Amino acid sequence: MANDLEFVGAKGMKVAFIGSECYPFIKTGGLGDVMYALPRALLRQGCEVRVILPCYRCIPEKYRERMTYVGSFGMNLTSDGRSFYVGIMELELDGVTYDFIDNRDFFDWGNPYTGLWEDIPKYCYFSKASLAALNFLEWIPDVIHCHDWQAALVPVYLRTLFDVTPVGSARSVLTIHNLRFQGICSIEHLKYWTGLPDFLFNYPVFKVNDHEANMFKGGLAYADRITTVSSTYAGEIQTDFYGEGLNSHLWYHRAKLIGIVNGIDIDIWNSRTDKLLPVPYGEENVLKAKRENKKALQTRLGLTVDENKLVIGLISRLTDQKGLDLIDAVFTQMVDENVQVVILGTGDPRYENAFRYYENTFKGQVCAYIKYDESLAHQIYAGSDALLVPSLFEPCGLTQLIAMRYGTVPIVRETGGLKDTVEPYNEYTGEGNGFTFDQYRADLLLDAVRRAERVYFEERSRWDAIVTRDMEKDVSWEHSADLYLKLYGELKG
Ligand code: ADP
Ligand code: GLC
């Protein structure tokens, strides 16, 4: 592979990442993890990487005070030519340069996403300002790698208003992390806030129908390459069920679409060095250490302290995507005197309340921690025996990867990246990484949990073998970073 990369000229390649969130500055889900970990993996392969992000007010003060002001300029944005301030604040972290686009009109909120009415102007501004900033910085990348609908206008701007500017020499990659969110609004609204030429709105590029336009759709049409975060999801989104209305569009553009599965940052997610764990561990002492971490977790969360219980964790945004209605449907059958359930998540009040109700009903057996809490997440990954991910759809999913790295056995539905990363346990050979079910049905989820229980309580040595195998599985970014580099190299030509 190393030779391959040299051949395509990947070494020394300049890549700009543009997206709406990035750990440790701002993270609401897996996009934040990828925007952090993939640039670092590319850097290790010899790329020069810059990450461009909005300068949200909610970025923690400890990072804001380390930013330096690089410059500012005025930029025309809207169709009536209104000019907006673009400030560039910069920070370097472990060799990666982060440029934050500063404008208080757009980013001065407590939350990155505040509803489509504000988000559409916000990300039109951000996409255009990111390209203008690259020109201003005179840092012209070979490839601009954009992420999700919030940065989907970048490829459109690149080939239109910026085509004959210095940054116009760059090629673009647009990654779909989640097709459910697309940035749809009235054609007039998008025309106004993008300032893009009228003719673009007469073709199917952006159009959903005679009244509405779709930012993601436009970006997918204009990007040189489209990637998504697993091979299975790349196929799924070309079907009616998973395509979120863009399946025909994606099928039409399939020649430039590929799936590259995510990894995780194995320095952050390292059970040996994880300072947030009561008892750090490696493969050699995982079984004993996990029991200790389990008891510490039970104590912290007010559960009955008993290392013999099977503790099932759920760390998730609480939205329909995550299969929570299946969990809700069989919850009372899942919890019994042998099984405890720990939930960490925030989201839809319907699910938040359901889980609070279960916590109340099953005191000492269920904990519903309705918050976003990084440190508790680490302790749940380490202290649980199994992790539940029964998603309706899952482009990649990182929680099952982190779970495996921490020796926690995933119980997942076979969809998207879950299918590509969790090999089903085979009761005849004892092989596999976790317990899986295929159709989106609560009885099948319950059956998968029961199968896991049976192996845990009745065939412990087989369970322990899964734990060790999961810890040894390569869930790092290395292989996938190579695939991205190869793709960038092909574009650079
Ligand atoms: P998605 O991006 O769809 O939310 P992923 O599985 O790709 O799902 O990524 C979720 C990421 O967010 C993981 O790093 C997970 O640990 C983290 N996470 C989700 N909910 C919480 C929470 N309530 N507290 C802490 N971390 C969370
Ligand atoms: C999205 C998807 C998730 C994926 C993450 C990072 O939020 O829902 O499956 O792991 O992006 O790519």
Side-chain angles (χ1 to χ4, degrees):
M1 179 56 91
N3 286 342
D4 259 21
L5 295 178
E6 271 156 37
F7 172 70
V8 295
K11 299 260 182 271
M13 175 116 49
K14 289 165 91 170
V15 186
F17 270 59
I18 303 181
S20 60
E21 55 182 88
C22 178
Y23 176 86
F25 312 111
I26 178 82
K27 166 178 158 184
T28 69
L31 170 62
D33 293 275
V34 174
M35 290 286 291
Y36 169 78
L38 179 55
R40 291 162 63 93
L42 293 170
L43 190 79
R44 284 196 293 276
Q45 311 271 27
C47 280
E48 250 185 88
V49 196
R50 265 181 131 94
V51 180
I52 305 186
L53 298 164
C55 195
Y56 304 112
R57 186 165 52 123
C58 48
I59 292 173
E61 197 50 40
K62 66 174 176 186
Y63 298 115
R64 297 180 70 90
E65 62 195 21
R66 285 175 53 189
M67 295 178 188
T68 54
Y69 170 80
V70 181
S72 61
F73 52 90
M75 177 185 79
N76 286 347
L77 179 69
T78 52
S79 57
D80 57 1
R82 276 165 68 193
S83 175
F84 289 84
Y85 170 86
V86 179
I88 307 174
M89 305 294 290
E90 202 165 277
L91 181 155
E92 203 191 295
L93 210 64
D94 306 327
V96 178
T97 303
Y98 296 89
D99 287 302
F100 295 87
I101 304 294
D102 190 26
N103 179 305
R104 296 187 64 167
D105 291 340
F106 291 111
F107 304 132
D108 214 19
W109 308 82
N111 217 313
Y113 313 121
T114 46
L116 265 194
W117 186 249
E118 286 130 11
D119 288 352
I120 285 189
K122 186 190 296 179
Y123 294 113
C124 289
Y125 163 83
F126 172 63
S127 298
K128 189 171 183 190
S130 298
L131 291 177
L134 288 168
N135 277 340
F136 178 87
L137 294 165
E138 296 180 6
W139 195 86
I140 305 306
D142 299 299
V143 174
I144 302 183
H145 191 160
C146 318
H147 300 264
D148 268 353
W149 77 268
Q150 295 93 341
L153 286 182
V154 171
V156 186
Y157 278 124
L158 191 65
R159 291 282 75 86
T160 53
L161 304 184
F162 286 81
D163 203 26
V164 292
T165 72
V167 78
S169 64
R171 311 299 302 276
S172 64
V173 175
L174 178 56
T175 293
I176 303 169
H177 293 266
N178 195 332
L179 199 57
R180 178 142 291 183
F181 309 104
Q182 300 179 359
I184 298 178
C185 62
S186 75
I187 292 177
E188 289 315 311
H189 195 53
L190 195 64
K191 228 189 233 185
Y192 178 75
W193 280 105
T194 54
L196 284 166
D198 273 6
F199 76 86
L200 277 178
F201 295 90
N202 299 332
Y203 298 115
V205 175
F206 282 116
K207 268 188 164 179
V208 179
N209 50 42
D210 286 346
H211 313 286
E212 288 175 311
N214 180 331
M215 287 166 67
F216 218 163
K217 188 177 179 208
L220 295 168
Y222 268 79
D224 292 311
R225 290 293 167 88
I226 304 168
T227 72
T228 187
V229 288
S230 66
S231 297
T232 295
Y233 194 60
E236 286 174 343
I237 53 181
Q238 296 176 53
T239 67
D240 225 21
F241 184 80
Y242 294 98
E244 306 284 348
L246 287 182
N247 39 308
S248 314
H249 190 62
L250 285 160
W251 185 81
Y252 181 80
H253 288 287
R254 69 193 179 286
K256 60 175 185 181
L257 165 67
I258 62 160
I260 300 179
V261 74
N262 289 331
I264 53 170
D265 189 288
I266 54 170
D267 294 328
I268 291 195
W269 299 108
N270 183 344
S271 57
R272 279 180 203 281
T273 55
D274 192 334
K275 292 197 173 55
L276 298 166
L277 302 190
V279 185
Y281 56 96
E283 286 92 333
E284 66 292 347
N285 62 343
V286 51
L287 301 174
K288 182 165 183 296
K290 272 186 88 69
R291 286 198 293 275
E292 295 307 315
N293 284 309
K294 184 195 291 192
K295 286 191 283 185
L297 181 69
Q298 290 168 326
T299 308
R300 173 170 176 185
L301 300 180
L303 298 174
T304 307
V305 179
D306 181 348
E307 65 178 46
N308 296 317
K309 307 268 188 216
L310 173 74
V311 174
I312 303 179
L314 171 80
I315 300 175
S316 182
R317 288 184 293 115
L318 302 182
T319 69
D320 286 338
Q321 174 190 342
K322 300 295 178 177
L324 305 169
D325 49 345
L326 298 191
I327 298 182
D328 192 16
V330 293
F331 202 93
T332 53
Q333 289 158 272
M334 222 162 70
V335 180
D336 58 32
E337 68 280 6
N338 297 317
V339 176
Q340 296 181 343
V341 180
V342 173
I343 297 129
L344 172 64
T346 58
D348 189 335
R350 177 159 77 98
Y351 297 121
E352 292 187 349
N353 292 333
F355 290 132
R356 282 193 187 106
Y357 167 80
Y358 291 126
E359 177 181 77
N360 240 325
T361 311
F362 298 96
K363 287 210 169 60
Q365 285 170 282
V366 174
C367 171
Y369 204 89
I370 308 297
K371 287 215 171 68
Y372 188 91
D373 187 323
E374 291 274 345
S375 92
L376 182 58
H378 283 245
Q379 290 167 17
I380 295 176
Y381 285 120
S384 304
D385 297 294
L387 191 95
L388 215 49
V389 201
S391 307
L392 174 63
F393 68 96
E394 197 59 76
C396 177
L398 300 178
T399 62
Q400 83 283 8
L401 299 181
I402 304 170
M404 287 190 277
R405 174 122 173 103
Y406 277 55
T408 301
V409 177
I411 302 175
V412 308
R413 186 166 97 83
E414 292 166 18
T415 183
L418 300 171
K419 184 169 181 185
D420 294 355
T421 57
V422 180
E423 192 196 321
Y425 173 71
N426 179 327
E427 63 183 28
Y428 302 104
T429 63
E431 285 165 359
N433 304 109
F435 295 84
T436 72
F437 62 102
D438 52 7
Q439 292 171 52
Y440 192 72
R441 282 178 23 199
D443 59 326
L444 296 184
L445 163 64
L446 187 61
D447 178 65
V449 173
R450 294 274 189 253
R451 280 183 278 127
E453 264 182 75
R454 204 160 48 238
V455 178
Y456 182 81
F457 288 111
E458 294 167 22
E459 297 177 285
R460 186 60 66 87
S461 62
R462 285 191 151 205
W463 179 274
D464 294 346
I466 305 175
V467 169
T468 315
R469 196 156 49 235
D470 283 356
M471 282 196 83
E472 284 164 355
K473 187 177 161 73
D474 182 4
V475 289
S476 77
W477 263 107
E478 297 317 304
H479 178 61
S480 297
D482 280 350
L483 296 177
Y484 277 113
L485 270 181
K486 197 150 181 282
L487 177 79
Y488 301 158
E490 283 163 16
L491 283 177
K492 197 179 163 195

